[in-house]
């Protein structure tokens, strides 16, 4: 008791001898008495709780754990259960478990259950040592550890592995002479199995296939896992040259035995009785036709089961190289081009190639090399004919087919696809009248054509292929229009004047009318007939238009006759306008106008101005007081000339020498009812108003081998 003040004191207590096995809680009753008389007592209850500190590390139930597990146990399988205890309380007694890294196991940190984390393999590792740690959650934490050994139990999960050894040891396959003695060892067979002997049992070897003739057998050797393949009966290479034995090896393991199979090929040796064998019975290759000489084509290769000179092969071309386009290397079998190729000559070459060994009795094998020659654009499209001739009825409707152009191109694909078009030599005016389909070559009209405007057309066309760049050739189409009766006869002149003396005998000539029809043949043939007038006194020759008298005429009876004449062509079309023939009967004493010349000849230059005087004609009559007038009655259908009252012949329009260089005009002089006539010849002289151009764009002539100086090579023609 310690005094702390008047009437007060403080009492302290000490806990002695307390351990973790003592009670964690105490309840004390404290009595206090004073010094008075009588004594007074006071009481106090004190509760004492003992608090824990982390002074106990976790402790495993065992320091060393041991267990085993089959190697094929599934991942996640439980392997071992460990447990540790801690004398502390609360967080100080909460335990976590963990393993050192580097094992295929893991532990549940709370329960202490060890499970498989990764797949196990007895053949890789048979035993694992684990260090298991237990750590409490105190601050600072305390830990304990234990060791665990986990042994893997083998299961039969590996197939036996077979390996052959041949003689000699450097050989890669088994061979045996066909005269080998029975019991001759052909190959050694060794077997290995990664499983433990307890799991895989005893190894057994047998031949399952390829030994139907029982020419070979298996012998077990005293050496473990070694067997011998021996000859069991007489061999005959001429009957069987090689064997492919299927060898079975079983480990006889439990619960399920495992087996493996191996193929053992045994060749029976002989003296050069193996022919060369090509890798392929037929080789194929595509090459472009434009490859240069010496280019690689293909390599052929053959093997020979023999050895030495018996397997030393020589290659050669046996047939198929008649064009000499290819050659082959004797030693390597490399085929190269020996000349320029042409797909259009042949698109496929089949070379027969031989391989011959160099044995004393050589053996030969054959193969084929099929060479497909691919196309390049080296062929120009060619029209089936250089000039096409076609005729068409004029006025045929637009779209009428004339012909289908045809051109050949021996190339393939787009290189051989031909498109047609008009050449630049065809005038644009002509191209507008025709239509040419580029793909089909169909040539048709784009408008109605009139033969009387133009009787023929020369179209220049071209054929171009689809290559890059394209190749093209030119051709020509000569279009001729056939006539239809689409024109009526036309009189020129329309009026005719004729004088006939009275009392002339019947059959006397009066005049000749003329009508023209630009149609051809029968459609252009004109017949004449008198449709009005005195047909008793006059008649007309239906073919010539010549009018004559049927009876003598009498001026005192009638002085003038007028006839109407119609013209009809062979198709039945009649002229719209009829000719008017005025026949004047003159007295025998009358004098018609007489020209100073029967024929006048004048020369003029082309393209003179309108109204230019070309020449003058003059007619006179002995009659008095007679006025003479002049009229051009024929020879001027186009109205190029005129004549005035003074007899001056003038130009009525522009005159072109290139259209017509000579004109013969018939001029009539009329004095009252009496006429005279004369002919006027007009020669049109040239002016240099046209550039020359050749009739043909190209002229080809063949010349002899020797031409002397000044020899005439080619007559040039132009207009």
């Amino acid at each position: 008791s310690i005094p702390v003040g008047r009437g007060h004191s403080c009492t302290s207590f000490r806990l002695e001898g307390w351990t973790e096995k003592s009670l964690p809680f105490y309840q004390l009753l404290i009595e206090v008495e004073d010094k008075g008389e009588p004594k007074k007592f006071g009481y106090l209850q004190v509760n004492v709780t003992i608090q824990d500190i982390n002074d106990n590390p976790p402790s495993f139930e065992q320091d060393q754990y041991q267990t085993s597990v089959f190697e094929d146990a599934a991942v996640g399988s439980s392997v071992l259960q460990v447990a540790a205890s801690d004398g502390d309380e609360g967080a100080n007694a909460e335990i976590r478990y963990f393993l050192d890294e580097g094992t295929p196991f893991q532990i549940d940190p709370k329960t202490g259950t060890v499970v498989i984390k990764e797949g196990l393999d007895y053949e890789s590792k048979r035993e694992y040592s684990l260090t298991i740690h237990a750590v409490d959650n105190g601050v600072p934490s305390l830990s304990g550890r234990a060791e665990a050994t986990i042994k893997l139990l083998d299961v039969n999960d590996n197939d036996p592995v077979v390996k052959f050894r041949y003689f000699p040891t450097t050989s890669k396959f088994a061979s045996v002479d066909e005269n080998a003695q029975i019991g001759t060892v052909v190959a050694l067979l060794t077997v290995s199995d990664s499983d433990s002997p307890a799991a895989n049992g005893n190894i057994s070897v047998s031949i399952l296939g390829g030994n139907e003739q029982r020419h070979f057998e298996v012998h077990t050797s005293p050496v473990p896992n070694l067997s011998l393949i021996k000859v069991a009966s007489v061999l005959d290479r001429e009957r069987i040259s090689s064997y492919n034995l299927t060898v079975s090896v079983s480990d006889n393991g439990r619960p399920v035995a495992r087996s493996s199979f191996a193929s053992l090929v045994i060749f029976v040796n002989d003296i050069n009785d193996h022919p060369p064998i090509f890798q392929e019975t037929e080789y194929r290759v595509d090459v472009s036709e434009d490859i240069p000489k010496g280019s690689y084509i293909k390599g052929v290769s053959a093997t020979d089961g023999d050895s030495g000179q018996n397997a030393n092969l020589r290659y050669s071309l046996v047939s198929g190289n008649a064009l000499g386009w290819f050659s082959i290397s004797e030693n390597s079998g490399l085929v190269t081009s020996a000349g320029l190729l042409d797909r259009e000559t042949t698109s496929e070459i089949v070379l027969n190639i031989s391989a011959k060994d160099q044995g004393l009795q050589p053996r030969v094998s054959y193969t084929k090399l099929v060479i497909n020659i691919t196309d390049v654009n080296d062929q120009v499209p060619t029209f089936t004919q250089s000039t096409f001739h076609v005729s068409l009825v004029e006025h045929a409707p637009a779209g009428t087919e004339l012909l289908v152009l045809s051109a050949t191109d021996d190339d393939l694909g787009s290189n051989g696809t031909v498109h047609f078009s008009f050449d630049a030599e065809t005038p644009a005016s002509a191209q507008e009248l025709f239509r040419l389909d580029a793909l089909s070559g169909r040539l048709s009209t784009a408008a109605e054509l009139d033969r009387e405007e133009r009787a023929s057309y020369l179209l220049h066309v071209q054929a171009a292929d689809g290559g890059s760049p394209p190749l093209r050739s030119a051709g020509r189409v000569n279009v001729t229009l056939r006539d239809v009766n689409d024109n009526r006869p036309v009189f020129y002149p329309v009026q005719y004047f004729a004088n006939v003396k009275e009392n002339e005998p019947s059959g006397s000539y009066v005049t000749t009318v003329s009508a023209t029809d630009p149609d051809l043949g029968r459609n252009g043939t004109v017949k004449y007939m008198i449709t009005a007038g005195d047909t008793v006194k006059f008649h007309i020759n239906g073919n010539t238009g010549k009018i004559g008298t049927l009876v003598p005429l009498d001026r005192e009876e009638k002085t003038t006759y007028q006839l109407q004449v119609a013209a009809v062509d062979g198709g039945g079309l009649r002229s719209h306008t009829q000719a008017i023939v005025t026949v004047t009967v003159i007295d025998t004493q009358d004098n018609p106008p007489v020209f100073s010349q029967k024929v006048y000849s004048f020369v003029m230059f082309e393209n003179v101005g309108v109204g230019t005087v070309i020449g003058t004609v003059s007619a006179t009559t002995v009659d008095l007081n007679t006025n003479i007038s002049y009229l051009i009655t024929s020879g001027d259908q186009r109205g190029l000339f005129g004549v005035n009252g003074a007899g001056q012949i003038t130009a009525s329009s522009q005159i072109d020498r290139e259209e017509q260089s000579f004109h013969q005009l018939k001029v009539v002089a009329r004095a009252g009812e009496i006429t005279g006539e004369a002919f006027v010849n007009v020669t049109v002289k040239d002016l240099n108003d046209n550039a020359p151009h050749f009739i043909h764009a190209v002229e080809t002539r063949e010349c002899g081998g020797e031409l002397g100086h000044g020899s005439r090579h080619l007559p040039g023609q132009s207009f």
Side-chain angles (χ1 to χ4, degrees):
S1 172
I2 302 172
V4 297
R6 182 178 180 184
H8 294 85
S9 64
C10 178
T11 302
S12 64
F13 300 92
R14 183 173 64 185
L15 185 63
E16 294 180 349
W18 187 89
T19 67
E20 61 182 8
K21 294 183 179 180
S22 302
L23 295 175
F25 177 79
Y26 295 86
Q27 191 176 62
L28 304 178
L29 181 63
I30 300 174
E31 179 183 290
V32 180
E33 63 179 18
D34 60 19
K35 300 296 184 178
E37 287 292 339
K39 291 183 181 180
K40 298 290 184 181
F41 294 91
Y43 297 93
L44 174 66
Q45 180 177 320
V46 178
N47 296 325
V48 180
T49 300
I50 308 301
Q51 294 184 340
D52 184 47
I53 62 172
N54 190 25
D55 56 352
N56 291 284
S59 176
F60 282 94
E61 294 177 351
Q62 298 176 222
D63 292 335
Q64 182 71 40
Y65 293 88
Q66 288 190 349
T67 188
S68 61
V69 62
F70 284 103
E71 63 173 325
D72 62 349
V75 173
S77 299
S78 175
V79 176
L80 178 65
Q81 179 67 53
V82 300
S85 60
D86 192 314
D88 295 317
E89 291 186 348
N92 295 333
E94 292 178 359
I95 297 175
R96 293 178 293 107
Y97 301 94
F98 68 91
L99 298 177
D100 287 346
E101 295 293 331
T103 68
F105 301 94
Q106 64 185 13
I107 189 169
D108 189 293
K110 292 183 177 181
T111 66
T113 302
V114 179
V115 298
I116 300 173
K117 179 176 66 174
E118 301 171 358
L120 306 178
D121 184 13
Y122 173 86
E123 288 71 35
S124 298
K125 191 170 183 178
R126 302 184 180 186
E127 183 178 289
Y128 292 90
S129 294
L130 309 181
T131 299
I132 306 173
H133 299 271
V135 182
D136 62 26
N137 290 331
V139 179
S141 63
L142 299 178
S143 64
R145 73 176 186 177
E147 302 294 329
T149 300
I150 301 177
K151 293 183 178 181
L152 301 189
L153 301 178
D154 188 33
V155 296
N156 192 23
D157 60 346
N158 288 280
D159 294 332
V161 177
V162 179
K163 184 176 181 181
F164 294 105
R165 287 189 292 168
Y166 310 113
F167 301 101
T169 57
T170 56
S171 178
K172 295 183 179 181
F173 53 85
S175 64
V176 61
D177 294 339
E178 65 175 335
N179 59 352
Q181 298 294 320
I182 295 175
T184 300
V185 177
V186 177
L188 301 179
L189 183 150
T190 59
V191 181
S192 60
D193 193 320
S194 299
D195 293 319
S196 63
N200 61 29
N202 297 320
I203 299 295
S204 61
V205 181
S206 61
I207 300 175
L208 292 184
N211 194 32
E212 289 75 11
Q213 304 297 322
R214 300 186 181 278
H215 287 161
F216 301 93
E217 61 187 5
V218 179
H219 287 259
T220 303
S221 168
V223 179
N225 296 330
L226 176 65
S227 298
L228 308 177
I229 307 297
K230 294 184 178 182
V231 177
S233 61
V234 176
L235 305 177
D236 183 0
R237 189 182 186 283
E238 282 63 43
R239 290 182 57 210
I240 303 176
S241 61
S242 64
Y243 298 83
N244 189 351
L245 305 183
T246 301
V247 180
S248 171
V249 180
S250 175
D251 61 12
N252 298 308
R254 294 180 180 275
V256 178
R258 300 184 72 90
S259 301
S260 62
F261 302 90
S263 178
L264 174 61
V265 178
I266 303 174
F267 292 98
V268 181
N269 298 327
D270 196 10
I271 299 175
N272 197 23
D273 56 353
H274 287 83
I277 299 175
F278 281 97
Q279 293 180 350
E280 300 179 29
T281 57
E282 181 178 283
Y283 296 81
R284 287 186 171 272
V285 65
D286 294 338
V287 297
S288 177
E289 64 175 320
D290 63 347
I291 61 172
K293 181 179 178 181
S295 297
Y296 167 80
I297 302 298
K298 188 74 174 178
V300 298
S301 178
T303 58
D304 194 312
D306 298 318
S307 60
Q309 287 297 103
N310 295 333
N312 188 4
L313 302 181
R314 295 288 184 269
Y315 301 92
S316 62
L317 298 178
V318 178
S319 64
N321 196 32
L323 296 174
W325 286 354
F326 305 97
S327 62
I328 190 170
S329 172
E330 182 184 38
N331 296 318
S332 67
L334 185 68
V335 179
T336 57
S337 61
L340 299 178
L341 311 183
D342 183 15
R343 189 202 65 80
E344 289 68 38
T345 299
T346 180
S347 62
E348 184 179 86
I349 296 288
V350 180
L351 299 178
N352 289 310
I353 301 174
S354 68
K356 179 190 292 185
D357 63 32
Q358 302 303 299
L360 295 177
Q361 295 181 340
R363 299 178 68 88
V364 183
S365 293
Y366 301 92
T367 189
K368 290 182 179 180
L369 173 57
V370 180
I371 303 173
N372 179 41
I373 302 174
T374 59
D375 185 53
V376 296
N377 192 25
D378 59 349
Q379 298 294 308
V380 178
T382 304
F383 284 101
T384 53
Q385 55 194 79
S386 60
T387 302
F388 297 85
H389 296 277
V390 62
S391 62
L392 173 72
V393 176
E394 63 174 330
H395 298 298
T400 300
E401 180 178 304
L402 299 176
L403 81 162
V404 177
L405 295 175
S406 177
T408 59
D409 190 321
D410 293 332
D411 291 319
L412 296 178
S414 59
N415 294 336
T417 301
V418 179
H419 295 81
F420 300 92
S421 62
F422 288 113
D423 192 84
E425 290 189 53
T426 302
S429 59
Q431 294 187 31
E432 294 176 355
L433 299 177
F434 298 91
R435 183 175 293 109
L436 177 58
D437 187 272
L439 294 178
S440 66
R442 180 179 183 269
L443 180 64
S444 60
T445 60
E448 287 191 12
L449 304 179
D450 187 356
R451 188 200 66 81
E452 285 71 40
E453 290 183 5
R454 186 169 177 178
S456 65
Y457 296 86
L458 181 60
L459 306 178
H460 296 269
V461 294
Q462 68 174 4
D465 62 28
S468 180
L471 301 178
R472 51 175 54 86
S473 64
R476 296 184 299 179
V477 180
N478 193 347
V479 181
T480 302
L481 297 181
R482 299 196 305 272
D483 185 55
V484 297
N485 192 25
D486 59 343
N487 289 278
R488 296 176 180 273
V490 176
F491 281 102
Y492 181 82
V494 177
Q495 292 189 351
Y496 294 83
F497 300 94
N499 298 321
V500 179
K501 293 182 180 180
E502 61 180 336
N503 299 322
E504 288 290 321
S506 60
S508 295
Y509 172 76
V510 177
T511 189
T512 300
V513 297
S514 177
T516 58
D517 190 322
D519 293 322
L520 294 179
R522 180 171 177 269
N523 295 333
T525 301
V526 179
K527 297 287 187 179
Y528 302 93
M529 64 184 69
I530 298 174
T531 59
D534 195 339
T535 56
V536 176
K537 294 185 171 59
F538 300 93
H539 80 283
I540 189 170
N541 187 310
N543 295 321
T544 64
K546 182 178 179 181
I547 299 175
T549 60
L550 290 174
V551 296
L553 303 179
D554 185 359
R555 182 179 178 277
E556 284 68 34
E557 179 183 335
K558 191 172 182 178
T559 60
T560 302
Y561 296 88
Q562 191 173 72
L563 305 176
Q564 291 185 15
V565 179
V568 182
D569 62 24
L573 293 181
R574 178 175 294 196
S575 59
H576 283 300
T577 303
Q578 298 188 13
I580 305 299
V581 180
T582 301
V583 181
T584 301
V585 182
I586 61 174
D587 187 69
T588 55
Q589 300 300 316
D590 290 342
N591 295 288
V594 177
F595 283 90
S596 60
Q597 299 175 215
K598 288 293 186 182
V599 178
Y600 292 84
S601 296
F602 302 115
V603 177
M604 63 172 291
F605 285 99
E606 65 178 330
N607 300 331
V608 296
V610 175
T612 301
V613 177
I614 299 169
T616 303
V617 298
S618 176
T620 59
T621 179
V622 297
D623 294 336
L624 298 176
N625 300 321
T626 302
N627 293 322
I628 297 177
S629 60
Y630 300 92
L631 180 67
I632 298 174
T633 60
S634 66
D636 187 24
Q637 294 182 354
R638 296 167 59 195
L640 300 178
F641 303 92
V643 61
N644 57 25
Q648 292 179 329
I649 296 176
T650 59
S652 297
S653 62
Q654 192 174 58
I655 300 172
D656 188 356
R657 186 198 69 81
E658 282 70 25
E659 293 182 358
Q660 188 172 343
S661 61
F662 178 81
H663 301 266
Q664 187 177 60
L665 309 177
K666 181 179 179 182
V667 181
V668 173
R670 184 171 186 176
E673 299 297 326
I674 303 174
T675 61
E677 64 183 29
F679 291 94
V680 177
N681 296 331
V682 181
T683 301
V684 182
K685 295 191 69 175
D686 183 51
L687 287 178
N688 190 19
D689 59 345
N690 288 281
H693 68 273
F694 287 98
I695 299 174
H696 302 288
V698 177
E699 286 284 346
T700 303
R701 295 290 188 272
E702 294 183 356
C703 300
E706 296 181 358
L707 295 176
H709 177 71
S711 298
R712 184 182 182 189
H713 295 183
L714 178 67
Q717 295 184 4
S718 65
F719 65 96

